Amino acid sequence: MMLHTKVIDIKKEKIEVKKAENFISSSKFGASLIFKGTVRNTNDNKKVTGITYDSHDAMVIKSFEEIYNEVDQKLKIKDKAVYIEHVKGYLNLGEISIIIAVACPHRAEAYILSKYIIEEIKKRSPIWKKEHYENEKSEWLKGNPIQVN
Amino acid sequence: MKVILELFGASRDLSDKDFLEFNIEKKISIKDFKKKIITYVDENFKGNKNYKKIIETSSFCSQDNNIISENYNITKDQKIGIIPPIGGG
């Protein structure tokens, strides 16, 4: 299995693109993609100064593994490397909240795989965002009820 | 029995700690446990509507990290996680 998953407690360690690149690097793959989610400065017409991420770590890791494992059957992508890390804790604007790095033999399946993973994480991984605003207020985002496959 | 409700996301606003503790006399379903949490909000947060909505829209998970249904029965001391609507990435 070429899968790496981790929840990064940002108080204790960094999230690093280089590690993702190294993990998926292989001459058997002709296409690799690195998706980074970063903290944006506006949401719903509010000026955002940062986001605190919360996570149910064990369930998040479980969801990442389930998403990886079902790709064989659902997307028919057998040959792949996948690296997923998500941060918990406070992030400033522009900082990375998630890295999804994938490598496949061909580009078409790499694009499909990368998009599939982030969309499924949004639906199934218990991660929450609390936005902090310029007026020093903060707010948990509403989100959607968790979906279980 | 003692049920520890582990708090995540928006439900963290219900306590300064990472959990709430409930003493419950006999076995209880998740459906009825939800009512206990809502009673806690009534007593401690003057029935704050936003907090009640969080509870009503949340799922719950067992100690072995599985989402559990409203019919799941808590029969002994254990930890239950509350999973408010999610939105990471």
Side-chain angles (χ1 to χ4, degrees), chain A residues 10 23 25 36-37 59 62 66 72 93 97-98 117 125 135 149:
Chain A
I10 206 67
F23 182 83
S25 175
K36 292 186 296 175
M59 285 189 69
K62 189 178 169 193
E66 285 171 357
D72 274 11
L93 297 182
S97 58
I98 184 170
I117 292 170
S125 300
N135 59 9
N149 280 24

Side-chain angles (χ1 to χ4, degrees), chain A residues 54 62 86 122 127-128 143-144, chain B residues 9 12 65-66 86-89:
Chain A
D54 189 21
K62 189 178 169 193
H86 202 297
K122 291 273 187 189
I127 297 166
W128 300 270
N144 294 301
Chain B
R12 287 193 183 276
N65 304 317
N66 288 311
I86 60 170

Side-chain angles (χ1 to χ4, degrees), chain A residues 6-67:
Chain A
K6 195 171 185 181
V7 175
I8 301 277
D9 182 345
I10 206 67
K11 283 184 191 158
K12 297 176 185 162
E13 56 186 324
K14 290 179 182 173
I15 187 164
E16 294 177 75
V17 172
K18 191 69 197 165
K19 285 184 182 172
E21 280 176 350
N22 291 342
F23 182 83
I24 62 169
S25 175
S26 165
S27 58
K28 70 177 179 173
F29 298 128
S32 56
L33 286 174
I34 296 180
F35 170 85
K36 292 186 296 175
T38 53
V39 178
R40 197 177 58 236
N41 65 1
T42 56
N43 191 28
D44 270 349
N45 295 321
K46 293 178 198 161
K47 290 188 175 177
V48 175
T49 56
I51 294 179
T52 300
Y53 287 86
D54 189 21
S55 151
H56 186 307
D57 295 3
M59 285 189 69
V60 166
I61 295 299
K62 189 178 169 193
S63 70
F64 290 172
E65 289 171 354
E66 285 171 357
I67 292 166

